[in-house]
Structures are given as C-alpha cells and as structure tokens.
Amino acid sequence: METTKSQLKGEIVRKLYESDDMRYAVLRLKDEGGREIVIRGALAGLNCGQLLEVSGLWEKHPDFGMQFKVDAYQIRLPGTREGIIRFLSSGSIPGIGKRTAALIVNHFGEETLKVLSEKPERLQEIPGIGRKKAKALADCWKNASDRRDSYIFLQGLGITTAYCARLFKRYGDQAVTVVRSNPYRLAEEVDGIGFLRADEIAQSLGVEKDSPLRMTAAAVYCANQQILNGHVCIPRETLENETAKLTGQSIELAQQGIDNAITRHLLRGLDDMIYTPLLARAETELPELVASLALVREFAGQKMEPDFRFGEIQFNAEQQSAVEQLRKTPLSIITGGPGVGKTTVVGEIVRRAKRAGLKIFLAAPTGRAAKRLSESTGMGAKTLHRLLMFDPNTNKFTFGREQHLPCDLLIVDEVSMLDIILAQALFRAIAPGTSVVLVGDADQLPSVGPGNVLADLIRSGWFAVTALTQIFRQAENSLIVTNAHRVNRGLLPVNPPKSDALADFYWIEQDDPEKTLDIITRTVSERIPARFGLNPVEDVQILTPMNRGTCGTIALNDVMQKLLNGGEKPQFTVGERLYKLNDKLMQTVNNYDKSVFNGDLGTLVRINTAEKKFTVQFDGTRDVEYNFDESDQLSRAYAITVHKSQGCEFPAVVMPFLSQHYMMLQRNLLYTAMTRAKKLLVIVGSCDALRMAVENMRLEPRFSLLHQRLTELRKQIRKS
C-alpha cells in the first residue's frame, strides 16, 4: 500500500455506489491513459461524463482489490462528444435524457456546452425542440450551471460535496454569498462544521489571521469546548490564553475577540467568568428556583403522618431519617451506593404518600432508569424530558414557569446524571409547596452535560441530605456490591473463592489488548450464554473507558456486530457505517421531535430501502422512524462507554480495563461501571490498571459557580 499522495485525472464513466446521506460514493474513473480505476470518498453528487482531478492514496480493499481513496478533487467540464453526452444525460440537468443529449451533441458537437451557456436559443435549430422546450432546457442548464459553479467554488475552498449539500440546504442560493462574507458563520449555523474547518475555509478566502471575525469565532469555539468537557463557565484569563493559543495571536487580540463575542451576545461575562448566554441564565436562575421551593411554610409532605411501624420491612436509622425528612422539609436528597436500600426507602415514601392522598410523579433522566423506578415502586415513571413535555413546535417544554407540574410529591432518581440545563428546566416546572425528593449516588461520574449539580445541591444547605451507608445482608452476599464498595474505599476488588458454584463477579487478569479482545468476544458470545443462560445481545452489555483503541467502542462494535448479528439480512450503509436489521443501537443526541434522548437504547426492527427509512424500537414497545440521513443520531451499542451507561442497569456487564486506558483510569469511572451490573460483572484487565484507578481520586475540576451562588443566596436571605 502506498503512503505517499498521488494525483489522477479522468472522466467518470460509472457510478458504482452512492450513500443515501450524499456523503460518500464509489465511482469508476477512466484516466488519461484509458485505464479504469475505482475511486472512493466524499464524491456523492457527481455525474457520469464529468472530468475530475483527484488526489489521495492507493489502498487495497479486502474484497475488491486496489482502489484510490480520494481526499480532494476538482471538477472539470467534459471535452469530448461522448463525455458531453454522458454528462448531459446523467441526470444533472432535468429534462435532458440520453436521446435529447445525443440530438444536441450531434448538432453542436464539442461546442455544445458553449452554446448552452452563451446562446441557448440556438437549441431551436434541432428538430423537435421548439421555443418553449428550448427555454425550459436553457433555464435548467442555467440553474444547474449556477449550482455547479457554486459547488466548484466551494470545493475549491476544500468543502466536500456532503457539506456543500448542507450549505445549500441551510442557505439556498445565498450559500456562496454567506461563505464569502463571513465563513465563521458556518461554525455557528451548519451541523458538522466547527471553528477549525471554518478557519481553513476563511484562510482559503484570504481572511487575515488577526481578523476580528476570526478572533471572535475562536473565543466562542474555545468556550464551547470547555462546555463539552463539563464546564459551565471558564475563567476569563483561561479563555484568553486558549483563544490566543488556538489562533496563534496575542493575548490583546484574544481579549478583543472575547469582548466582541460578549457585545454580540455570543458569550456573557459574570464574576470574572465567561459563559454562553444559555448557561449563564441557567446558573443564575437555578438558585432562585431552589430558594422559592425551600422557603415555603406549607408543603405537601406535612400531610404524611408519622408511622414508626414502617410496614413489614425492618428499616435502619438512616432509612427512617430519610423517610421522616419529608414531613420536616420540602426539599430532600437521598444518596448512597449499591445495596444500601435507596429503592426500599423510595418505596416506603411512595406508600406513605399514597396513604396521605398525595399526587405522586416519578421521573429519571433516562428511559431505563425510569423503567427501573416504575418496577420498584409499582407506579408509572417517566423520563424528565417526557415529564416536562417538550413541544417541538415552540422548541420549549410545556411545563415550566407558566405551567407547573400538577403533583404534590416529585421523586427523581439517578440525579447524578442531571446537568445544569436540565436541572433549570426541572425546577422551573415545580410549583412551590411541592415536596421534592432527589435520589442519586454522589460517588458516580458527574453528568455528561455541564455542571456538577448533585454535588452542588448536596453542599448547598438548601436540602435535607441523608447518606445511606449500611449495606443490607442480602446485598452483602453479592460480590458486585461488596467490590463496588471496596473500590469506593480505595481497595482492589476480590475474586470469588475457587469452586464450581456460580458467582456474580469475576476478574480475569490480562493487559494485552488483543488477548483481552479475544477473551471478551468469547465471554459474551459463548461463556455467559452457556453458563448463565443470558442473551448476549439483550442481557449483556460491554462497557469500556474509551472509544478508540483495540478495546474501544468502535473496534468492539465492529467485532460484535459480525459475531452477534452476522449473516445475510437487510442492511444499509451511510458513509462507511453499516446498519443491519436487529442491530443494537443507542441514541446519541436528544431528538425532541421524536421524543428520543441521548442514551436511549433500542433495536433496529425495520429497514425500508425504497423510502430510505428505518425503524428503531425503544423499550421493547415504542417504534421510532428515521430517514437514512438521520442515522448519525444513532450508534451501534454492543459496546458503549462507561459515561454513556449512566442511569442504566444491565443483567450482565463485561468490561475491559487496561493500562492503555490510563487517561481514563479514575475511581469514580470504575465504580460507576461496576454499579451498572445487576446479576453478573466480568472485568478483563490488569492489576496495575485497577490499582491505578482505585488510587486515583483526582477529579477534573468543573468550572461552575452554582455552589457559591446557592450558598450566597442562602446567606443573603438569612440576613434579611
């Protein structure tokens, strides 16, 4: 395989494959020597007869031999009679088929394209083409030429065909004008084009590196990168340094970029910290919302009568305190690890609330967590998004400041997953006088989204906090529970004693990535189904610290898809991603229109290639239809990251934990992964990697002033 770039020139003679999302194509190109070559890459939207100049690398495809992988190309118009006929009849100009194309080219020869561009009225010279048809063909040619010229211009800037299509979808015929006037708008407004790509385009257009447009866009980009890392805000000095480093410009210019972004309301400065407007609003409003609920004198929990019998279940002092708090305060938090009785306490709270005649709502951030809450309480629970009823027509939640949730008691589980934006939406929707119970494990990973809400609320003083610590006798028999608590105390997990009896925890010592991959594939596909009777797709979940690497999600999903969902069956490809009937999938972004949310797991149950649609079934009951070009909202889920598993519980979890994952080896990540397993946990990893994790309590700080704002507001109210 060659590793140096090559260039080719030739004519497209056949379209072998084009993805439905218009991002990828495989074409047959005849080069100047008459040799036919298969080329592949971001070539969708091109047509037979077009001349191309391409650059890229030769690669050997395992099934189809040598191919040319294109990373850049330029379009040229055809110059031969045959090429012009193929080009005109390729479908690029509506109204011109093979017969009409041949008539036109036979009449005008190699001057055809010039005639179409400069003297289209001459089409009337051809028998069968009257004035009306000539005008229609001329209009089609002009529109196609304008769009083609725009494509050529944009591709000359390094914008692929796929992104050209997105630009025209977003801006229509103004696409080129927008790109010329301010290419950095693309970073703000076009999905998939970030600052770095927009910056390359701007440089191609000759935009100066110290341009205010560039510095402003860079400041916004750097701020948004911090949000992706979980920060709510960023110190101004840090943002200045990051912006200067990214652009290669001075601190003074970075400061001007930040100031411009603030002036344009793209960023907001508060207390020497820089926010996006959305996060600034959330962090300043949330403390006020909490205070409005905490300071009421009458609340629903006061109607719950004391009951020292606690039903037929024996409760310890911690659990009794957690239940009794509802009569004393409107806001309470119950926290603790696995096996300490959080579910039992919630069940008792629900029992007493029902007896008091209270209207109860139950919710959790994810569908699986909501389902588990429903099963444990015997009451219906919803995801927070469904509870608050997002309205896609207004792009807002139905329940909020103007319309509160009609309940007396609200219980929210898995609150460690709650980011600051969703917390703001939730507390907006709660009416003063409602009793609120938040349940979560403070030692788990913080939310994927910005903030560290549960920890900040626990420390704020606004909530009555009960930490459950006593492990119940039944849970003590589980090595999953025992080892999760050992890890949380900084100790290595232990294997079960050697015997023929089945255990719920196994640690297989291994640090070689290839051997680990082999162990995991055989464990999931053979050993667990044979010994535990669990379904390898429905019951077993592979969790891994990272996406990349031999034991990352990408490689594991490739292997497990072939192993667990192989054979001939309906399938479709988008780009280089393959989706097959019965694939296990996970939603990776919130889609409010379809009411599916980041982290929802489903199964691909139908593929309609004729209409370019497919259907995913979530929760075993709810079917959601997608277009092929929406498939990037989903990823295969035979293996997922530990972060994506938050709020979920699986019958069995298999997890690689290797030294090569050193960047992610932290105690709360290992602890979170272990607590996702309900019946069986298998860790394939090295002692060094696990020791590194349990000893690493260093948590990456998340920039946020929520805790300070909560405590300061409490002090102000106490003084007044």
Side-chain angles (χ1 to χ4, degrees):
M1 182 184 298
E2 293 185 23
T3 56
T4 56
K5 281 194 175 183
S6 302
Q7 285 77 38
L8 297 172
K9 293 182 181 180
E11 179 187 325
I12 301 170
V13 293
R14 188 178 174 192
K15 189 179 294 186
L16 301 175
Y17 169 79
E18 185 172 77
S19 68
D20 296 286
D21 64 352
M22 297 294 288
R23 299 184 192 179
Y24 180 81
V26 181
L27 309 174
R28 191 177 295 280
L29 189 80
K30 181 183 284 188
D31 71 5
E32 293 173 313
R35 182 179 53 157
E36 291 195 1
I37 300 159
V38 174
I39 64 173
R40 62 186 177 89
L43 301 163
L46 300 179
N47 293 288
C48 294
Q50 285 181 313
L51 299 179
L52 291 184
E53 295 180 11
V54 300
S55 64
L57 297 172
W58 286 100
E59 291 186 351
K60 187 172 183 179
H61 192 281
D63 297 322
F64 305 113
M66 292 302 293
Q67 296 182 344
F68 193 81
K69 185 177 181 181
V70 176
D71 58 25
Y73 68 89
Q74 292 286 330
I75 301 173
R76 299 288 183 261
L77 290 175
T80 66
R81 293 169 66 97
E82 295 77 12
I84 295 171
I85 290 173
R86 280 194 292 269
F87 176 58
L88 291 180
S89 61
S90 64
S92 59
I93 301 98
I96 300 182
K98 285 186 178 180
R99 181 176 175 277
T100 304
L103 286 173
I104 295 173
V105 175
N106 287 337
H107 189 80
F108 296 113
E110 295 178 4
E111 296 292 307
T112 296
L113 300 183
K114 185 177 180 181
V115 169
L116 285 169
S117 297
E118 299 176 5
K119 296 182 178 180
E121 66 277 3
R122 288 191 61 195
L123 289 170
Q124 298 177 63
E125 297 174 11
I126 301 170
I129 298 182
R131 187 169 59 84
K132 187 174 181 182
K133 186 172 183 180
K135 185 179 185 308
L137 292 176
D139 289 344
C140 287
W141 171 255
K142 184 179 185 307
N143 292 335
S145 297
D146 291 345
R147 180 62 61 94
R148 187 183 66 252
D149 291 344
S150 296
Y151 264 72
I152 291 172
F153 170 76
L154 295 172
Q155 288 165 357
L157 300 176
I159 302 174
T160 66
T161 306
Y163 283 113
C164 285
R166 294 189 189 189
L167 293 183
F168 282 108
K169 184 177 181 180
R170 177 72 173 80
Y171 302 115
D173 292 335
Q174 295 300 307
V176 170
T177 302
V178 170
V179 172
R180 283 184 184 277
S181 62
N182 182 6
Y184 294 104
R185 275 184 64 182
L186 309 186
E188 300 172 22
E189 300 172 354
V190 180
D191 183 36
I193 298 183
F195 169 80
L196 299 179
R197 189 71 197 88
D199 198 37
E200 291 177 359
I201 296 167
Q203 300 310 304
S204 299
L205 286 167
V207 176
E208 296 295 334
K209 292 192 174 183
D210 60 356
S211 160
L213 286 176
R214 182 172 187 253
M215 301 307 298
T216 301
V220 174
Y221 171 79
C222 289
N224 282 319
Q225 286 300 109
Q226 295 298 313
I227 293 167
L228 292 176
N229 293 328
H231 299 295
V232 177
C233 52
I234 179 172
R236 183 179 177 109
E237 184 179 354
T238 302
L239 184 58
E240 291 170 355
N241 291 330
E242 291 292 324
T243 304
K245 181 180 177 182
L246 176 67
T247 58
Q249 302 301 306
S250 67
I251 292 292
E252 289 74 22
L253 284 174
Q255 291 170 342
Q256 291 174 20
I258 294 168
D259 290 338
N260 288 339
I262 292 172
T263 300
R264 291 179 55 198
H265 306 292
L266 299 173
L267 295 176
R268 187 174 172 191
L270 291 172
D271 304 314
D272 295 322
M273 304 293 278
I274 305 297
Y275 298 75
T276 65
L278 185 69
L279 291 177
R281 198 157 47 244
E283 191 181 84
T284 53
E285 184 183 353
L286 187 54
E288 297 173 0
L289 295 169
V290 169
S292 70
L293 301 177
L295 296 174
V296 296
R297 295 190 176 184
E298 295 182 0
F299 50 92
Q302 293 168 328
K303 299 177 183 177
M304 294 168 59
E305 298 177 3
D307 183 350
F308 300 104
R309 294 180 295 106
F310 282 85
E312 299 177 357
I313 302 173
Q314 190 68 33
F315 282 68
N316 62 32
E318 292 173 347
Q319 291 175 310
Q320 291 179 28
S321 174
V323 176
E324 288 298 321
Q325 289 294 347
L326 266 79
R327 299 180 56 251
K328 303 174 183 177
T329 178
L331 302 180
S332 63
I333 293 175
I334 301 169
T335 185
V340 297
K342 295 192 298 293
T343 299
T344 306
V345 169
V346 170
E348 178 64 16
I349 290 172
V350 169
R351 186 182 73 84
R352 289 201 192 186
K354 283 182 177 178
R355 197 171 64 182
L358 301 185
K359 187 172 184 179
I360 309 163
F361 281 2
L362 306 176
T366 68
R368 282 183 169 246
K371 184 177 180 182
R372 196 165 63 247
L373 184 59
S374 294
E375 292 169 350
S376 66
T377 60
M379 286 189 64
K382 298 180 179 180
T383 64
L384 287 172
H385 287 90
R386 294 192 181 100
L387 178 77
L388 301 177
M389 291 179 59
F390 183 81
D391 184 352
N393 295 319
T394 61
N395 205 35
K396 294 179 180 178
F397 289 107
T398 299
F399 290 106
R401 280 189 175 277
E402 303 301 321
Q403 185 178 353
H404 290 134
L405 292 165
C407 64
D408 303 309
L409 170 63
L410 174 64
I411 302 175
V412 184
D413 199 4
E414 294 285 1
V415 182
S416 61
M417 299 181 66
L418 199 63
D419 65 36
I420 196 164
I421 297 297
L422 192 51
Q424 175 198 30
L426 173 65
F427 279 86
R428 275 179 173 177
I430 302 172
T434 304
S435 287
V436 180
V437 180
L438 306 182
V439 185
D441 188 343
D443 294 319
Q444 288 187 19
L445 288 168
S447 60
V448 175
N452 201 2
V453 173
L454 177 58
D456 290 341
L457 294 181
I458 287 173
R459 295 186 299 150
S460 70
W462 286 106
F463 290 75
V465 180
T466 305
L468 304 179
T469 58
Q470 182 180 334
I471 303 174
F472 279 78
R473 190 171 301 166
Q474 183 179 359
E476 285 179 340
N477 297 325
S478 165
L479 270 178
I480 295 175
V481 172
T482 302
N483 280 323
H485 283 276
R486 283 179 63 86
V487 165
N488 212 20
R489 296 197 305 272
L491 302 173
L492 285 173
V494 294
N495 259 323
K498 292 184 178 180
S499 74
D500 293 333
L502 294 178
D504 67 353
F505 175 88
Y506 297 92
W507 171 12
I508 302 171
E509 176 78 23
Q510 184 55 254
D511 200 42
D512 181 271
E514 295 292 343
K515 291 179 180 177
T516 298
L517 179 62
D518 181 60
I519 292 170
I520 287 174
T521 56
R522 286 189 286 116
T523 298
V524 173
S525 64
E526 300 171 15
R527 294 175 180 174
I528 291 177
R531 296 201 68 194
F532 293 88
L534 296 174
N535 184 294
V537 177
E538 296 175 5
D539 299 326
V540 184
Q541 183 62 57
I542 301 173
L543 300 183
T544 179
M546 302 181 75
N547 287 311
R548 302 287 176 182
T550 304
C551 291
T553 59
I554 297 170
L556 280 164
N557 275 313
D558 284 341
V559 172
M560 300 313 297
Q561 183 188 49
K562 293 176 183 176
L563 196 61
L564 301 178
N565 196 25
E568 293 296 324
K569 57 181 62 178
Q571 58 186 258
F572 66 96
T573 304
V574 178
E576 297 188 358
R577 298 190 306 274
L578 173 66
Y579 296 88
K580 300 179 72 173
L581 191 69
N582 300 327
D583 263 344
K584 184 177 183 179
L585 301 176
M586 173 178 273
Q587 181 79 13
T588 57
V589 296
N590 290 335
N591 187 320
Y592 297 104
D593 292 336
K594 298 181 188 294
S595 289
V596 286
F597 305 102
N598 190 358
D600 286 355
L601 285 165
T603 303
L604 204 167
V605 294
R606 277 188 297 279
I607 296 175
N608 186 334
T609 52
E611 297 183 12
K612 298 181 181 178
K613 296 179 183 293
F614 65 99
T615 302
V616 179
Q617 187 174 90
F618 293 95
D619 303 323
T621 56
R622 194 166 60 90
D623 288 357
V624 179
E625 189 176 72
Y626 296 80
N627 296 318
F628 279 5
D629 62 5
E630 295 176 308
S631 62
D632 58 357
Q633 298 181 19
L634 297 137
S635 65
R636 293 168 301 176
Y638 302 99
I640 62 176
T641 62
V642 178
H643 284 83
K644 286 290 187 183
S645 74
Q646 289 175 266
C648 298
E649 230 181 36
F650 310 98
V653 167
V654 178
M655 176 173 60
F657 213 76
L658 309 175
S659 299
Q660 70 171 202
H661 298 142
Y662 67 93
M663 291 181 64
M664 301 295 294
L665 299 184
Q666 295 179 334
R667 184 186 296 180
N668 63 350
L669 182 134
L670 177 58
Y671 173 75
T672 299
M674 295 176 74
T675 56
R676 300 306 91 200
K678 191 174 181 181
K679 297 179 180 177
L680 176 65
L681 172 62
V682 179
I683 296 177
V684 186
S686 69
C687 186
D688 288 342
L690 266 70
R691 182 177 288 111
M692 193 184 305
V694 298
E695 291 177 355
N696 183 10
M697 283 194 67
R698 180 183 57 83
L699 302 179
E700 291 296 327
R702 288 193 164 193
F703 293 122
S704 170
L705 298 183
L706 178 61
H707 173 242
Q708 292 93 315
R709 296 185 194 282
L710 285 162
T711 52
E712 286 172 9
L713 181 59
R714 197 158 178 261
K715 289 177 184 177
Q716 292 173 11
I717 290 173
R718 280 183 167 180
K719 288 180 181 178
S720 59

